[in-house]
Amino acid sequence: MSGSWNTIESDAGVFTYLLTNLGVRNVQFEELLTLDPSSLAELHPVYGVIFLFKYPTDAPYRATGDKPLDGTFDHSIAENKLFFAAQTIPNACGTQALLSVLLNKTSGSDDEETKIDIGPVLKDFRDFTIDLPPEFRGEALSNSDVIRDTHNSFAKSSPFVDETTRNPNDETEDAFHFIAYTPFNGTLYELDGLQPAPISHGPCTQESFPEKVMEVIQRRIARYGDAEIRFNLLAMTRDLRIRARELGDVELLEREEQKRRDWQFENALRKHNFVGFAGEVLKGVVEYRLKEGGEDGYKSWVGQGKQKMVKRIEERRKGRGGGGEDVEMEG
């Protein structure tokens, strides 16, 4: 029986080091804050993008019959060269989307410029599953201890919530889903493990990929209501430090090295449970307050804290707009 998969964040640092820990080198992720194709083209070479959106959508997820809402199903390509796996277990979609790009950029790709050395672990996995049908590839992924444990190592630490039991159908909380877009042998494909097959979006070269994929994503976002702005887009690209070294750009290299240090620190924080630390700090503060002002001083301090909290809540309610604190992706 396969183990559980935890949810992970749509974060460039998480996805970059997830790749690194699986043995992939010279590849990173960059978060895109705009749907302008030029922002993606600047990262050349780009291997593909991973798109996060709310699921299920307010509109039907697919059209009736053997036809998606956009593009066309390509059943034959999944049975041949393209790696596509059906999602057979909850919470694995982030890593599955990542692999949907990565495993189609190996030595078997027709595009020399975007070939990736995926390392021995993923090479063995691809070699074992490439001749299997999509549903068996999904089962193989679900049962891969190495990939699952690496994925779960980037899940948030929480002593209160078991993310492995999260119900995506629970109306009290929103669920999100990752899918991938990548050019493969002259065609733009949408790879979504919840769909029955890869979705073709027509002819696409490596050079036209930024423009083509942004058009498809814009059409997809347009299917949501105007109030929905919770989307995230990550680009899988070559390690930007390589470009910096090739150009002799010392400033760019230092920025990228600092970015890696920041990512490592943030990933360490994600894995750490701060409840014990917070409890010890709180006990120390309470002891100090009791020592300084006695029980009356302690009660006064608690009362002041409550008043400040009520004031903050009221201020947030007054200043809350339609989008809250979310940042809308620019079109």
Side-chain angles (χ1 to χ4, degrees):
M1 182 177 179
S2 61
S4 299
W5 292 61
N6 298 339
T7 56
I8 61 174
E9 294 180 68
S10 182
D11 179 86
V14 168
F15 276 63
T16 296
Y17 277 96
L18 199 163
L19 278 180
T20 301
N21 291 355
L22 286 172
V24 181
R25 295 293 180 267
N26 301 327
V27 178
Q28 73 171 74
F29 280 88
E30 280 289 296
E31 183 173 1
L32 298 172
L33 300 179
T34 174
L35 294 178
D36 184 352
S38 64
S39 65
L40 185 58
E42 290 174 356
L43 299 173
H44 181 85
V46 177
Y47 308 119
V49 299
I50 294 178
F51 183 56
L52 176 76
F53 57 92
K54 181 183 174 183
Y55 180 87
T57 62
D58 295 331
Y61 196 61
R62 70 171 69 107
T64 57
D66 191 22
K67 182 174 173 45
L69 292 175
D70 190 15
T72 57
F73 287 126
D74 188 343
H75 294 273
S76 62
I77 194 69
E79 298 170 358
N80 298 312
K81 299 178 181 180
L82 184 74
F83 180 88
F84 171 76
Q87 185 177 336
T88 62
I89 191 169
N91 300 332
C93 59
T95 292
Q96 185 156 331
L98 180 155
L99 295 180
S100 293
V101 175
L102 191 68
L103 298 187
N104 287 308
K105 302 299 176 183
T106 67
S107 57
S109 171
D110 289 347
D111 191 337
E112 291 290 338
E113 187 180 21
T114 57
K115 286 183 179 179
I116 299 174
D117 181 1
I118 61 176
V121 171
L122 294 182
K123 183 179 184 302
D124 289 346
F125 176 79
R126 188 183 188 280
D127 291 344
F128 173 72
T129 60
I130 195 62
D131 292 326
L132 300 175
E135 60 271 21
F136 290 168
R137 292 177 189 166
E139 284 295 334
L141 173 60
S142 300
N143 288 288
S144 171
D145 293 339
V146 174
I147 299 176
R148 182 183 65 246
D149 291 346
T150 303
H151 169 104
N152 285 344
S153 70
F154 290 93
K156 281 187 174 181
S157 174
S158 173
F160 305 115
V161 180
D162 181 1
E163 296 186 8
T164 66
T165 61
R166 188 171 186 264
N167 181 5
N169 297 318
D170 190 343
E171 295 181 356
T172 63
E173 56 180 331
D174 291 328
F176 294 85
H177 184 52
F178 293 92
I179 61 175
Y181 293 92
T182 187
F184 184 83
N185 293 352
T187 300
L188 172 58
Y189 283 101
E190 176 183 327
L191 303 174
D192 178 356
L194 297 182
Q195 297 282 13
I199 297 175
S200 168
H201 289 285
C204 179
T205 64
Q206 190 65 36
E207 290 71 25
S208 65
F209 174 66
E211 182 177 357
K212 294 284 188 180
V213 74
M214 290 305 188
E215 291 174 355
V216 173
I217 292 174
Q218 286 175 342
R219 291 198 299 269
R220 187 181 196 103
I221 290 176
R223 298 206 295 262
Y224 288 79
D226 293 338
E228 181 57 66
I229 60 174
R230 291 170 296 177
F231 304 100
N232 189 259
L233 188 61
L234 298 175
M236 183 190 292
T237 184
R238 187 175 66 159
D239 190 331
L240 294 177
R241 293 175 298 181
I242 298 176
R243 177 192 297 180
R245 295 187 183 103
E246 290 175 347
L247 298 175
D249 191 331
V250 178
E251 184 178 348
L252 173 60
L253 180 59
E254 176 53 33
R255 285 204 307 269
E256 290 302 316
E257 292 289 2
Q258 182 60 48
K259 184 190 297 181
R260 294 307 189 289
R261 292 191 288 270
D262 292 342
W263 282 346
Q264 287 180 315
F265 179 70
E266 291 165 3
N267 288 337
L269 292 181
R270 287 184 176 94
K271 300 176 184 180
H272 190 73
N273 179 359
F274 287 94
V275 172
F277 172 75
E280 291 301 316
V281 171
L282 181 60
K283 286 193 292 184
V285 172
V286 170
E287 290 175 0
Y288 172 77
R289 290 291 179 177
L290 288 171
K291 182 179 178 180
E292 290 293 310
E295 187 172 350
D296 290 339
Y298 167 74
K299 290 180 179 179
S300 174
W301 171 64
V302 172
Q304 291 173 6
K306 289 181 179 178
Q307 291 176 0
K308 290 181 180 179
M309 181 58 68
V310 170
K311 183 178 179 181
R312 288 174 185 166
I313 293 174
E314 291 176 349
E315 289 175 349
R316 288 176 184 172
R317 286 175 177 170
K318 292 177 181 178
R320 182 180 296 167
E325 297 180 352
D326 291 323
V327 178
E328 184 173 3
M329 181 176 285
E330 298 177 3

